[in-house]
Amino acid sequence: MLFAPKAYRDTRKTAIENVEQGLTLTKNLTSIGPATIKANPGILPVLRMVTCPPLARDRLIGLADSSKNFVGNLELGKIPPRLSLELLEENLAKISGVISNMVDVTYFRGSTKNALPRRKNVTAHQPSSQTVSAAR
């Protein structure tokens, strides 16, 4: 990756760290619930991307019947401050339900919804030298 510009390398490193944190917090996508998102609202962008197909923010808002403001705050790592506890729990349940139902289990070799993925099966994609050569 040394051929890539520094800004790209830095952004890629941050993205990998965010994905690894999201996988850790959700126990490799087996524990995506309202409590997980409430405790770590900033993982929502990662969760949107592990679905099949990956969910755009507006699509998640529509499927979960949530508000743009609510989802936007979560993605910034914040819980909306003026939202009642009842509405908060309701929205978190809808969002986690949509994501849980759409998780793409093919990210894990040999895993299914019924099989817990093992950490050794979760790796960041490293392009091969053939891929890099073909891209040049």
Side-chain angles (χ1 to χ4, degrees), residues 39-129:
N40 309 283
I43 67 168
L44 189 57
V46 170
L47 296 178
R48 287 192 301 105
M49 294 299 114
V50 298
T51 61
C52 185
L55 290 173
R57 183 180 303 116
D58 290 339
R59 186 73 177 137
L60 175 61
I61 290 166
L63 289 172
D65 191 28
S66 193
S67 75
K68 187 174 184 175
N69 183 51
F70 181 76
V71 172
N73 273 300
L74 291 179
E75 292 205 343
L76 292 173
K78 301 184 292 187
I79 299 292
R82 296 188 180 123
L83 198 62
S84 71
L85 185 58
E86 182 180 318
L87 279 175
L88 174 65
E89 295 296 332
E90 180 183 327
N91 278 283
L92 290 172
K94 291 190 288 187
I95 288 171
S96 63
V98 167
I99 292 171
S100 293
N101 287 329
M102 296 182 72
V103 165
D104 185 357
V105 295
T106 60
Y107 279 121
F108 302 98
R109 287 176 268 135
S111 72
T112 65
K113 289 251 184 199
N114 298 326
L116 180 67
R118 304 262 187 253
R119 177 68 183 134
K120 68 181 179 182
N121 293 340
V122 181
T123 58
H125 174 70
Q126 297 295 328
S128 69
S129 59

Side-chain angles (χ1 to χ4, degrees), residues 7-67:
Y8 174 83
R9 291 191 314 263
D10 292 346
T11 301
R12 184 173 190 274
K13 180 181 177 194
T14 301
I16 289 171
E17 290 168 356
N18 290 342
V19 169
E20 288 175 342
Q21 178 188 26
L23 291 172
T24 300
L25 293 170
T26 62
K27 298 180 177 89
N28 289 337
L29 306 177
T30 60
S31 177
I32 302 170
T36 303
I37 298 173
K38 184 178 181 180
N40 309 283
I43 67 168
L44 189 57
V46 170
L47 296 178
R48 287 192 301 105
M49 294 299 114
V50 298
T51 61
C52 185
L55 290 173
R57 183 180 303 116
D58 290 339
R59 186 73 177 137
L60 175 61
I61 290 166
L63 289 172
D65 191 28
S66 193
S67 75

